[in-house]
């Protein structure tokens, strides 16, 4: 093919791609949840999927659970998917942790951040059957011997929250790593371990049922979702803040038109009164941030994670 013909072909392809992007979306969209069904990421993803047709011209979000490797399988799949707007990722801090602690084929630059919709403070919990009912009881037990802590997996955000607290407070934890958040809950609620760390949104409904007891919220102020539960700082006079986030990303390299359409549509969905009400009724608070703000938040969190990484070398 001559240079002139090649140039003509490339122009035609670009025009075709632009037209295709302008028509977005023309079919249903895969929403990859890189965790097993039953956890908070899966649940909130299904709330998004329920609302999607109204904001995506009747097209559906098809939730696809791809658990394994602490979210590596699903994240790898999305990072390698076509950058056409038809494969989205339910995004959590694991996208940062995995790239820093595991041999993976992606990093933050492999994804296009689109929206953050939930920031959830970390809480320390025990079983509703546990004799440990106060933060002071928990801290004293952890200082005098090994306290067992259930996690949803090694190097997950909840594991790292426990590591950070142990370092700051000179505590001794024995970690019981599970394959999912659902399995972590089973360990804690069954009183098979002494405590666990999880997001407030995951715990709050189980507290009202008597299955869990929250000892402290790891934030600078009390949460609107649980105004009667004191923070770690209130009870000890020492600051300790940690939390999880939930957002949405796509493979890197999205056409500008598709990225703009996705950000606009997702922004409308995630800030709609109906979605906010459903999230609140389920124990989750919507804290929307657009694509630029979400990208800045990811980069900042990655920098913070670098400071915590050395703690993983001695954890088990």
């Amino acid at each position: 093919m001559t240079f002139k013909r090649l140039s003509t072909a490339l122009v035609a392809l670009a025009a075709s791609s632009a037209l295709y992007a302008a028509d977005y979306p023309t079919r249903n969209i895969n929403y990859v949840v890189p965790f097993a069904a039953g956890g908070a990421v899966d649940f909130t993803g299904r709330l998004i999927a329920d609302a999607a047709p109204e904001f995506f011209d009747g097209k559906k979000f098809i939730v696809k659970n791809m658990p394994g490797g602490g979210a590596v399988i699903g994240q790898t799949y999305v990072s390698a998917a076509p950058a056409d707007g038809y494969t989205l990722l339910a995004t959590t801090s694991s996208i940062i942790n995995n790239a820093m602690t595991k041999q993976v084929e992606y990093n933050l630059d492999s994804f296009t951040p689109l929206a953050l919709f939930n920031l959830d403070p970390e809480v320390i919990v025990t079983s509703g059957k546990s004799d440990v009912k106060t933060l002071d009881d928990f801290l004293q037990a952890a200082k005098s011997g090994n306290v067992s802590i259930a996690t949803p997996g090694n190097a997950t955000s909840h594991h790292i929250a426990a590591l950070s607290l142990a370092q700051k407070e000179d505590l001794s934890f024995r970690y019981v790593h599970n394959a999912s958040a659902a399995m972590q809950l089973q360990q804690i609620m069954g009183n098979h371990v002494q405590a666990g760390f999880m997001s407030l949104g995951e715990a709050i409904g189980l507290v009202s049922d008597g299955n869990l007891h929250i000892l402290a919220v790891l934030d600078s102020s009390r949460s609107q979702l649980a105004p009667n539960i004191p923070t770690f700082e209130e009870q000890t006079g020492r600051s300790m803040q940690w939390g999880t986030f939930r957002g949405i990303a796509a493979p890197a390299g999205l056409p500008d038109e598709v990225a703009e359409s996705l950000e606009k549509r997702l922004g409308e969905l995630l800030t709609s009164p109906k979605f906010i009400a459903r999230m609140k009724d389920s124990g989750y608070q919507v804290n929307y941030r657009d694509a630029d703000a979400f990208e800045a938040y990811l980069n900042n969190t990655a920098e913070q994670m670098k400071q915590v990484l050395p703690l993983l070398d001695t954890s088990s």
Side-chain angles (χ1 to χ4, degrees):
M1 180 180 290
T2 67
F3 177 77
K4 183 176 181 180
R5 289 180 179 175
L6 177 60
S7 298
T8 301
L10 289 175
V11 170
L13 178 61
S16 175
S17 298
L19 180 61
Y20 176 73
D23 291 340
Y24 178 86
T26 60
R27 62 180 189 272
N28 293 337
I29 297 161
N30 290 325
Y31 188 81
V32 175
V33 175
F35 302 101
V41 180
D42 175 70
F43 181 81
T44 55
R46 293 180 187 278
L47 291 183
I48 292 170
D50 287 346
E54 180 181 348
F55 299 92
F56 283 80
D57 301 339
K59 305 302 184 294
K60 297 179 180 178
F61 275 29
I62 309 300
V63 176
K64 292 184 176 294
N65 293 93
M66 293 187 177
V72 168
I73 290 177
Q75 290 165 359
T76 300
Y77 176 86
V78 174
S79 71
D84 56 9
Y86 293 98
T87 303
L88 304 180
L89 176 69
T91 309
T92 68
S93 59
S94 62
I95 201 173
I96 298 170
N97 303 351
N98 288 338
M100 290 186 177
T101 62
K102 301 176 182 179
Q103 294 295 321
V104 297
E105 299 175 357
Y106 58 85
N107 55 36
L108 275 182
D109 292 336
S110 303
F111 302 92
T112 301
L114 295 169
L116 182 151
F117 64 90
N118 176 238
L119 285 168
D120 212 350
E122 196 81 3
V123 293
I124 306 171
V125 301
T126 59
S127 167
K129 307 171 186 176
S130 175
D131 293 331
V132 179
K133 297 295 186 184
T134 70
L135 177 63
D136 186 62
D137 289 342
F138 171 78
L139 294 176
Q140 290 302 318
K143 287 178 179 177
S144 61
N146 286 335
V147 169
S148 55
I149 300 289
T151 83
N154 183 51
T156 56
S157 178
H158 302 316
H159 176 209
I160 293 170
L163 286 169
S164 182
L165 181 66
Q167 183 194 49
K168 289 185 176 183
E169 297 290 320
D170 192 24
L171 308 177
S172 179
F173 292 148
R174 178 173 61 84
Y175 298 100
V176 180
H177 298 307
N178 293 276
S180 69
M183 292 177 65
Q184 178 201 26
L185 275 174
Q186 291 174 4
Q187 288 276 333
I188 299 169
M189 290 191 300
N191 212 21
H192 304 302
V193 295
Q194 289 162 287
F197 289 65
M198 62 180 56
S199 62
L200 176 60
E202 291 177 289
I204 194 68
L206 296 167
V207 170
S208 61
D209 293 340
N211 289 308
L212 289 180
H213 181 69
I214 298 177
L215 304 180
V217 177
L218 304 187
D219 205 351
S220 58
S221 60
R222 296 192 184 194
S223 170
Q224 295 178 5
L225 295 178
N228 296 325
I229 299 176
T231 67
F232 182 91
E233 186 171 351
E234 281 183 81
Q235 298 180 73
T236 66
R238 299 182 295 276
S239 176
M240 178 63 194
Q241 296 183 45
W242 201 271
T244 59
F245 67 83
R246 299 179 182 94
I248 303 171
L254 282 180
D256 290 343
E257 295 87 350
V258 172
E260 291 169 6
S261 179
L262 269 168
E263 182 180 3
K264 179 178 181 294
R265 293 170 188 272
L266 286 172
E268 292 172 351
L269 186 162
L270 299 171
T271 59
S272 65
K274 184 176 179 180
F275 178 76
I276 291 172
R278 290 200 66 189
M279 287 280 286
K280 182 178 180 181
D281 290 344
S282 302
Y284 301 95
Q285 187 172 358
V286 173
N287 314 91
Y288 173 74
R289 298 190 186 186
D290 65 16
D292 288 341
F294 185 25
E295 182 174 13
Y297 182 86
L298 286 171
N299 291 333
N300 182 63
T301 301
E303 287 300 315
Q304 291 181 341
M305 280 298 306
K306 290 177 183 177
Q307 305 303 315
V308 183
L309 281 177
L311 301 177
L312 291 173
D313 295 339
T314 57
S315 66
S316 60

